[in-house]
Amino acid sequence: MLMLGTDSHTPNAGGLGMLAIGVGGADAVDALTGTPWELKAPQIVGIKLTGELTGWATPKDLILHLAGKLTVRGGTGRILEYFGPGVFNQSCTGLATVANMGAEVGATTSTFPYTAGMRSYLTATGRAPVARAADQAASRGFLQADEGAEYDELIEINLSELEPSINGPFTPDLATPLSKFGQFIREQGWKDELSAGLIGSCTNSSYQDMTSVADLARQAKQAGLKAKARLIFTRSQIPFLCTPGSEQIRATMERDKVTDALEEVGATVLANACGPCIGQWKRDEKQDEENAILTSFNRNFKSRNDGNSKTMNFLASPTVVTAMAFSGKLSFNPITDSITLPSGKQFKFQPPRGQDLPSTGFTPGRTAFYPSPVPEPQPETEVVIRKESQRLELLQPFESHFGPHNPRGLELPTCKVLMRVRGKCTTDHISAAGPWLKYKGHLTNISENLLITAVNDEGGDVNVAFDHDHPPSKSETDTIPGIARRFKSRNQPWTLVVDDNYGEGSAREHAALQPRFYGAAMIIARSFARIHETNLKKQGILPLWFVDKTDYARIGSGDVLETYGLEDLLNGKGQAQITIRVTKRNGDIFEIQTRHTMSKDQLNWLRAGSALNHIRSKIQQA
């Protein structure tokens, strides 16, 4: 089954054997309106699993290890298909954890063959008829890879040899085996100190995860490790925050005393929501201070969790996070190390034991929170937004780049370069989350966070851009959104020059809406992340790839860029190449070659100014 979801972690459903692909919100509109949805045919990477996870190794460690092998770009334009005997002794939610974090290597999606664990999970969650149908399909040879299937790349992993990994900081692919992590901390000269432990969110928040963590909590309590002021008792007394994955998990944890076990050792069990993973964490301590946190989340981009760029955020399994939270030390290895108790005795954790599914079934919890499965349309409902609202505003259609105002015809209007972005630039850098999320419905206000944590390659400063045409009343430098506002006020179309894997991370529509709102017409990258590139196309921004990646460094702020060849492309010459003529601020002129991934339909979006404009015009013509 193919599933589209408006979240980059939609591949979580790969844990149930689905082909679940994350898309932007505008792509979802395509599916809802019957508009064809396009995807460039991906390569298939086969990942053969043998052996069995033992001890402290978990499915999270499998994907952390794989992220280290593939890097954040290694899955781009590829589907990860797992197979082999090692698949079949893992739980359904464990497979979902692996599929979920496949987004962090850029994979289009991840999927598994149908397993007995999936059948058990479907039955336990009230979907026994689906399980029976899947059994029948599997008996006929479906829901698994074809015999003798060939892959574009084959990776083999022996789960019996896998040890826990800790990844980070600031990128999910910097993987270090747990046995070497203490040495890594010492080599970097960092404090051997943990300031917070966080588990849960959309991954690693299953019943199996939470019961495994509760097992460690009970071991600690029995040994005499007690809480003080709702903080785990350690030498540093650090916060330990747990986020259940759903209302069903929250309610079942509460019923089965899992919540009690966690709270008795000082954990704070939060609401089942994105929470600190997406920056919804009002953290008062450690602000503007270098510190280290350990989470079982999927992403650890700079400033993501607490808004502090100096917080080093590391990723690990929930059980490793929990054990290290009791220790308070980054160098602590629960497999080999002990904790000194208040009595002076030594305490060593035993490998955690969790329960895949609750023996008495799940409880749904507060069903009033669940949406209606088949809501009745209410077309007569009037949407009223106060003019003075700071949270909501009506979106205005973006103007097409082409028309009487553009003397260049079907070439883009002449663009100025706003800035050259250095290094990693995720959708968190482009449109920060956390406290900014309250403005998601107000494009003018949320655009004030455009690229505020991005690094300008010309000078190396964060959130600094240059206006080389500034009037005497203005300074040459300002914040990035400040310079973008100036360009917009002058009706000056602009472009960004960006590095590899631009736009990795969340399927955040605002990361495309905001630059378009301020007047961006084109972004030229060494490479793009898939979802973000499509989101740019949807909003009428032309994404181009450098043919020669070294050309990135030849273009700077204030340079004038002109496209040549776009007119041929828009007129149906499919093989046309887009050349960029660069006029430097000193008058030097040269040309660079680019490539594109624009389809015929996507070119129609560009011509119309956005995909929504194009859809509207088709409806009006019908």
Side-chain angles (χ1 to χ4, degrees):
M1 179 184 290
L2 175 65
M3 171 182 174
L4 301 183
T6 55
D7 191 282
S8 57
H9 289 128
T10 297
N12 185 85
L16 274 171
M18 299 183 71
L19 206 62
I21 300 176
V23 298
D27 267 7
V29 171
D30 286 352
L32 291 170
T33 60
T35 304
W37 175 74
E38 294 183 349
L39 175 71
K40 183 180 178 181
Q43 292 185 331
I44 310 296
V45 178
I47 302 175
K48 183 178 181 180
L49 302 182
T50 59
E52 186 173 356
L53 294 169
T54 59
W56 286 80
T58 69
K60 182 73 167 191
D61 298 301
L62 166 59
I63 188 60
L64 290 172
H65 169 75
L66 191 61
K69 290 176 67 73
L70 289 175
T71 78
V72 292
R73 300 197 298 271
T76 303
R78 308 166 102 185
I79 290 175
L80 307 183
E81 182 175 332
Y82 294 81
F83 68 101
V87 169
F88 296 95
N89 50 35
Q90 298 191 53
S91 68
C92 177
T93 53
L95 300 182
T97 292
V98 176
N100 191 317
M101 197 172 172
E104 271 46 78
V105 299
T108 301
T109 192
S110 303
T111 193
F112 292 87
Y114 181 64
T115 68
M118 295 180 190
R119 179 194 306 116
S120 298
Y121 182 80
L122 287 168
T123 301
T125 53
R127 291 172 282 184
V130 177
R132 288 193 292 271
D135 285 340
Q136 292 177 1
S139 69
R140 298 174 185 172
F142 298 108
L143 306 183
Q144 61 184 336
D146 296 334
E147 188 173 346
E150 295 183 0
Y151 298 97
D152 295 287
E153 182 182 353
L154 180 63
I155 298 172
E156 296 192 35
I157 299 175
N158 184 346
L159 299 178
S160 300
E161 299 174 354
L162 193 70
E163 72 166 295
S165 289
I166 298 180
N167 291 26
F170 307 135
T171 185
D173 58 353
L174 182 58
T176 305
L178 178 60
S179 60
K180 298 180 180 179
F181 191 68
Q183 177 185 344
F184 173 64
I185 295 297
R186 289 189 292 273
E187 289 173 349
Q188 301 302 316
W190 294 330
K191 290 181 182 178
D192 187 11
E193 183 179 292
L194 188 64
S195 65
L198 303 95
I199 64 171
S201 192
C202 75
T203 187
N204 287 133
S205 55
S206 67
Y207 190 80
Q208 183 179 35
D209 291 319
M210 293 303 185
T211 53
S212 296
V213 167
D215 179 59
L216 295 177
R218 293 186 181 105
Q219 290 184 42
K221 181 184 177 184
Q222 187 174 3
L225 289 177
K226 297 181 180 179
K228 286 188 177 181
R230 299 192 63 76
L231 300 177
I232 283 185
F233 181 79
T234 69
R235 280 171 288 180
S236 54
Q237 292 193 336
I238 65 171
F240 183 54
L241 309 179
C242 308
T243 307
S246 66
E247 173 60 15
Q248 180 172 261
I249 292 295
R250 183 209 62 78
T252 307
M253 285 174 58
E254 194 170 286
R255 182 200 67 190
D256 294 350
K257 308 300 182 184
V258 174
T259 301
D260 289 346
L262 295 173
E263 290 181 341
E264 284 169 2
V265 293
T268 299
V269 179
L270 304 175
N272 40 288
C274 291
C277 179
I278 199 172
Q280 293 174 318
W281 180 18
K282 188 180 179 183
R283 190 186 190 199
D284 296 323
E285 69 273 11
K286 303 293 183 181
Q287 286 301 310
D288 202 35
E289 179 183 339
E290 185 174 283
N291 70 103
I293 65 174
L294 202 61
T295 85
S296 67
F297 304 155
N298 279 355
R299 293 184 176 137
N300 57 346
F301 306 138
K302 188 173 290 189
S303 303
R304 178 178 173 91
N305 302 124
D306 63 358
N308 180 7
S309 63
K310 296 181 180 179
T311 294
M312 296 182 291
N313 37 11
F314 297 93
L315 307 176
S317 70
T319 46
V320 167
V321 173
T322 302
M324 292 182 74
F326 277 100
S327 164
K329 297 176 63 177
L330 292 172
S331 62
F332 179 71
N333 182 347
I335 300 174
T336 58
D337 298 345
S338 299
I339 297 174
T340 301
L341 299 173
S343 64
K345 294 182 179 180
Q346 296 296 302
F347 164 70
K348 186 172 182 292
F349 283 109
Q350 295 301 306
R353 300 179 67 179
Q355 190 175 341
D356 179 9
L357 298 167
S359 56
T360 56
F362 288 101
T363 182
R366 295 167 289 194
T367 55
F369 290 166
Y370 287 63
S372 171
V374 188
E376 286 291 328
Q378 296 177 313
E380 72 282 359
T381 302
E382 183 181 3
V383 178
V384 179
I385 299 175
R386 291 186 295 112
K387 289 184 178 180
E388 64 272 21
S389 173
Q390 296 299 303
R391 301 285 294 272
L392 295 172
E393 71 173 350
L394 291 173
L395 285 175
Q396 300 301 316
F398 293 130
E399 187 179 50
S400 172
H401 302 297
F402 314 103
H405 62 284
N406 178 7
R408 303 194 69 236
L410 288 179
E411 298 292 343
L412 285 181
T414 301
C415 295
K416 282 283 182 75
V417 176
L418 179 71
M419 67 179 290
R420 186 172 69 230
V421 179
R422 177 187 296 177
K424 182 184 284 288
C425 192
T426 70
T427 50
D428 278 70
H429 292 81
I430 305 167
S431 177
W436 289 96
L437 292 176
K438 63 185 176 185
Y439 298 125
K440 285 187 72 173
H442 198 293
L443 184 56
T444 301
N445 283 347
I446 200 170
S447 293
E448 290 294 317
N449 75 6
L450 177 67
L451 291 161
I452 58 175
T453 57
V455 178
N456 191 326
D457 195 48
E458 298 175 271
D461 294 316
V462 174
N463 194 24
V464 173
F466 301 96
D467 180 5
H468 300 290
D469 303 315
H470 66 94
S473 61
K474 299 284 188 179
S475 63
E476 184 180 31
T477 62
D478 199 347
T479 64
I480 296 169
I483 298 297
R485 266 197 315 275
R486 294 189 199 180
F487 280 28
K488 179 182 174 70
S489 69
R490 299 200 292 256
N491 294 316
Q492 173 60 67
W494 52 270
T495 189
L496 291 174
V497 174
V498 297
D499 218 320
D500 268 314
N501 210 30
Y502 179 74
E504 70 170 282
S506 301
R508 197 165 293 168
E509 204 85 17
H510 292 79
L513 283 165
Q514 291 170 217
R516 183 70 166 98
F517 172 74
Y518 277 138
M522 174 173 60
I523 296 178
I524 312 177
R526 282 175 163 164
S527 64
F528 287 97
R530 175 186 61 86
I531 296 177
H532 184 63
E533 183 187 21
T534 302
N535 285 346
L536 292 173
K537 296 174 182 178
K538 290 282 186 178
Q539 303 307 333
I541 296 177
L542 176 64
L544 295 176
W545 302 54
F546 288 107
V547 170
D548 182 349
K549 289 187 176 184
T550 62
D551 285 336
Y552 158 89
R554 301 176 67 192
I555 305 174
S557 62
D559 291 350
V560 174
L561 305 189
E562 298 170 286
T563 61
Y564 288 89
L566 179 59
E567 181 174 5
D568 289 340
L569 204 60
L570 289 170
N571 284 331
K573 298 180 181 178
Q575 301 303 313
Q577 187 175 37
I578 299 176
T579 299
I580 303 295
R581 176 175 293 173
V582 181
T583 302
K584 301 291 291 181
R585 290 175 53 228
N586 64 5
D588 290 347
I589 298 175
F590 59 88
E591 293 184 348
I592 63 171
Q593 300 302 313
T594 66
R595 62 184 180 88
H596 69 88
T597 60
M598 301 287 286
S599 69
K600 180 180 178 181
D601 283 337
Q602 291 167 350
L603 288 168
N604 287 332
W605 305 341
L606 180 67
R607 186 193 286 257
S610 73
L612 285 177
N613 288 355
H614 177 63
I615 292 171
R616 183 186 299 110
S617 67
K618 288 182 66 177
I619 292 173
Q620 291 172 347
Q621 293 168 11

